[in-house]
Amino acid sequence: MTAVTVEAVEEVGTRTVALTLETPGGFDAEPGQFLLVRATIDGSEERRSSGNRSETGGVEETGYYTLSSPDTDGTMEITVEYVPEGTLAPWLAERTAGDEISIEGPFGDVRYTGEGDAVVLAEGPGIGPAVGIAERAREGGHDATVVFWGEDPPHRDRLDALEADGATVLVVESLDEAVDSLTGSDATVYVFGFESFVRDAKTVAEATGAADVRAESFGPR
Ligand SMILES: Cc1cc2nc3c(=O)[nH]c(=O)nc-3n(C[C@H](O)[C@H](O)[C@H](O)COP(=O)(O)OP(=O)(O)OC[C@H]3O[C@@H](n4cnc5c(N)ncnc54)[C@H](O)[C@@H]3O)c2cc1C
């Protein structure tokens, strides 16, 4: 477990914040990989308590959060979507610059190492790794496509900058709208979101003949 300093917390969408974290010495990760965040949350906050009650009366909570920065040079970022009845995510959203949080990792085999064109299918907080991967791809001169399923994607500024830089950004009501972007492309397809989205997105991508589909599920909603 490593303590890292929160450098900034920015609201980037509806009930969604981006936390910029100081990258610890010797730490290296690629967009798409995730961190384990561990926090002892004050028991007086009266939140759900699935975690273990600590000796100080707080409740230890853990959660996984995926990198949403293109790299981890100096700082790195996670993007957190929270619901008010949640535990760890709203606590993370309340952090401020200078706070410390504990992390472990990185974890995960689904990662973009900067090689080749990338298409990313995302929902909810999956937009985090989608922008991180697309930015890294564009930095390397590769094609990047972000397909966000839903309305009003977080990280609108970064999506606009990506589009201005030549990336394709689609905000869709149905994944069928992404078929044209997938068909005939030899890009690696990445999928990030909750369980049912990941299942549907993999099915759509594989049906278009995509040869390499890499998905990370954020679990059930
Ligand atoms: C590999 C992996 C990567 C992940 N990466 C990210 C990431 O980058 N960003 C991110 O925000 N989350 C990510 N998650 C999910 C995250 O770890 C937590 O599950 C989530 O933040 C909920 O934490 P919580 O303790 O606040 O809510 P809980 O206390 O666990 O949930 C309370 C209730 O609210 C529901 N709920 C919680 N969050 C949401 C939501 N966003 N929408 C709808 N219902 C919800 C829960 O199902 C539950 O019923 C990832 C999960 C995995 C497994």
Side-chain angles (χ1 to χ4, degrees):
M1 189 159 68
T2 308
V4 297
T5 304
V6 176
E7 296 214 341
V9 183
E10 188 193 351
E11 203 173 317
V12 293
T14 308
R15 289 190 282 101
T16 308
V17 293
L19 277 83
T20 304
L21 309 173
E22 180 188 34
T23 304
F27 182 95
D28 193 20
E30 310 286 359
Q33 291 193 290
F34 51 92
L35 309 175
L36 176 72
V37 176
R38 192 183 289 279
T40 301
I41 297 179
D42 184 347
S44 67
E45 289 178 57
E46 289 287 325
R47 290 200 169 121
R48 183 193 65 96
S49 56
S50 65
N52 299 316
R53 196 157 284 280
S54 76
E55 283 171 16
T56 55
V59 176
E60 186 174 90
E61 298 286 347
T62 56
Y64 293 111
Y65 294 94
T66 310
L67 290 181
S68 54
S69 45
D71 55 52
T72 57
D73 301 345
T75 62
M76 58 187 171
E77 183 194 79
I78 55 174
T79 297
V80 179
E81 183 186 89
Y82 61 93
V83 290
E85 65 271 28
T87 310
L88 182 58
W91 181 87
L92 283 169
E94 286 166 9
R95 296 308 93 199
T96 55
D99 286 351
E100 282 197 342
I101 64 170
S102 296
I103 64 161
E104 289 173 34
F107 301 105
D109 296 330
V110 177
R111 56 188 174 157
Y112 179 70
T113 56
E115 284 148 35
D117 299 340
V119 174
V120 194
L121 309 180
E123 70 150 347
I127 194 66
V131 292
I133 287 174
E135 287 168 353
R136 178 72 169 271
R138 293 303 301 139
E139 278 171 17
H142 302 293
D143 288 344
T145 300
V146 174
V147 179
F148 180 77
W149 178 72
E151 288 176 356
D152 292 335
H155 287 303
R156 189 73 250 187
D157 293 356
R158 283 164 71 184
L159 290 170
D160 288 348
L162 277 163
E163 262 192 311
D165 186 41
T168 302
V169 175
L170 300 174
V171 178
V172 301
E173 285 178 20
S174 161
L175 283 173
D176 292 341
E177 296 169 52
V179 165
D180 285 351
S181 302
L182 292 164
T183 306
S185 162
D186 57 7
T188 301
V189 179
Y190 296 85
V191 180
F192 297 96
F194 292 95
E195 210 167 79
S196 58
F197 171 79
V198 166
R199 193 178 49 238
D200 293 349
K202 277 173 73 178
T203 303
V204 168
E206 282 160 7
T208 64
D212 191 358
V213 182
R214 305 178 189 183
E216 196 68 77
S217 169
F218 292 180
R221 223 176 200 172

